Amino acid sequence: PALPLKPPRTHADDPSAMDTAPLEDGAPKPPRVLIIEDADATRTLIEMVLRRFACVVEGCADGRAGLQRARTWLPDLVVLDIALPGIDGWEILAALRSDELTAGLPVVVTTAHAAPEVRHRALSEGAIAMIPKPFSPAEMRAAVAPVLERMAAR
């Protein structure tokens, strides 16, 4: 079953909930993407790809910080590495899916473990895509483009 693109933003006192309001000229704000990836070079590559989509990008280098940021910033998309210090990507994915505010966030998983069972697990646990490492910018663009294009069409 398809998950909703974005969770309802119900925290009236959460300043990040206000970030989805249109700009003064009526144009919607750009999509916000959180990258949870401990390898600096990989995080930078993902950021470069996402900036071509005019995204606002934030990065976290460890699992605990990434999960906390996802819960407070409520991004429009999360790019999540599986092998992370602190808590791993599987735990983060499960925590996001079990939280009412983050359950609908689209998550793209990246991992160096490209076995079919890893892809199956990622998709069955709620990721919208799994990209094996190393990946090219074109592979990352192909994974995130459908989500970002749907958002732009709103």
Side-chain angles (χ1 to χ4, degrees):
L3 294 173
L5 279 181
K6 293 170 71 173
R9 296 181 192 263
T10 57
H11 288 304
D13 59 343
D14 180 1
S16 70
M18 298 171 63
D19 287 343
T20 58
L23 299 173
E24 287 184 25
D25 65 2
K29 286 201 173 184
R32 300 179 312 163
V33 182
L34 177 63
I35 303 167
I36 307 173
E37 167 63 61
D38 60 321
D40 292 338
T42 303
R43 198 171 52 253
T44 299
L45 172 65
I46 298 168
E47 286 177 15
M48 288 179 0
V49 169
L50 293 170
R51 290 192 196 284
R52 290 187 176 200
F53 286 98
C55 295
V56 174
V57 179
E58 285 200 20
C60 292
D62 73 81
R64 289 190 199 290
L67 180 58
Q68 178 61 33
R69 190 61 180 141
R71 288 176 168 158
T72 59
W73 192 43
L74 296 175
D76 299 302
L77 174 67
V78 176
V79 179
L80 174 65
D81 184 23
I82 292 299
L84 291 165
I87 58 175
D88 70 22
W90 297 121
E91 293 174 87
I92 294 169
L93 187 57
L96 292 174
R97 292 296 170 248
S98 67
D99 184 327
E100 183 179 303
L101 283 177
T102 59
L105 290 178
V107 177
V108 173
V109 167
T110 64
T111 181
H113 307 287
E117 58 271 13
V118 174
R119 176 179 301 278
H120 175 76
R121 179 178 178 187
L123 298 176
S124 68
E125 292 188 18
I128 61 167
M130 197 279 295
I131 306 171
K133 292 180 182 178
F135 53 82
S136 69
E139 290 169 310
M140 179 57 67
R141 275 193 301 278
V144 301
V147 172
L148 299 176
E149 288 167 359
R150 278 194 302 264
M151 292 176 61
R154 289 183 297 168

